[in-house]
Amino acid sequence: MNRTAVVVETLDLDERGWLLDAQSGDPVPDHRLRDHFAEHVAPPATATDLFVYVHGWQTTPASALRAAERLMGLAVHRLASAPDSYPALSEAGFDPWCLVVRWPSSSAVTPAGYRSIRDRAHAMGARDGEGHAAHILGRLLGYLDTERSHPAAAPIMANRDGQYLHLMGHSFGCRFLCEAVQWAADAQFGDTLGWSTMEPGPTRPFTADSMLLFQMAAGRDAFLSLFPHILPGDGHDGAPLHGPVVTTYSRHDRATGFWHLRAEHQAGI
């Protein structure tokens, strides 16, 4: 490993899903988005893996940052404690960098409070309303994809540009990521992600390499009803994901177990 402390940076969205300037608290103008990313989102050239993490319900900005730091620390610790289980990583090095996307997710811990944040998350992310989260995240992922560098320390952990791009979400944060990659697949911007393809080209650049969804706050039919273009289907190639989509479930997660069941009247994913 190249370092023991993982670099974790943050971006903040308002209740509409629009990007806020960290210093002024004002919305970043649309024409300034790419410049803002260039000024404030700076993965080290030596990083082997870039992670974008979106938190879930009842998460303060400070706790979102702590959660991402802990998650990255656990990954680094796991490799250090069992290097023989990951020979490619042990040989090439694993030097992660993480960006936490934070959004207003607090409410009363009640079924009504759960539904209010569910509705907010949907409104922030849905492309057919006034929400902008899918647009902002799609542009962010496209920027990271375009700007990936080629770290000299990563001869094995290397894609086209030398760095993997991973998406991670928890609870309602998973919805933001799914909306974003769907939006990126459909959008006509030059700096969004390209379509999934085994042979990247000038019109189809390399894509996100994996998406990990921790206890996604959605029903079991979400990939048919809410996010029909995430996976390949009739008439479309699927969202711009080059690697696997993984969802997790935990009986200890009360939000997607206890509260989801009572608010939605159905089991979650």
Side-chain angles (χ1 to χ4, degrees), residues 18 30 33-34 134-136 138-139 142 146 183-194 203 205:
W18 196 263
D30 185 82
L33 282 175
R34 188 171 184 82
H135 170 79
I136 295 297
R139 296 286 295 274
T146 302
W183 182 91
D186 295 338
Q188 300 301 311
F189 291 93
D191 58 352
T192 55
L193 291 170
T203 60

Side-chain angles (χ1 to χ4, degrees), residues 7 9 12 27 29 33 51 64 77 88 123 125 135 142 154 166 183 216:
V7 175
E9 300 180 9
D12 292 290
L33 282 175
F51 293 85
H77 175 74
H135 170 79
H166 308 285
W183 182 91
M216 183 173 178

Side-chain angles (χ1 to χ4, degrees), residues 8-12 53-72 98-107 168 170:
V8 179
E9 300 180 9
T10 61
L11 287 179
D12 292 290
Y53 172 69
V54 187
H55 65 79
W57 185 39
Q58 293 295 92
T59 305
T60 66
S63 61
L65 178 59
R66 289 195 300 269
E69 290 174 336
R70 182 169 181 264
L71 184 59
M72 292 291 97
C98 183
L99 178 67
V100 184
V101 178
R102 303 184 298 191
W103 58 283
S105 67
S106 297
S107 73
M168 300 188 301
H170 175 229

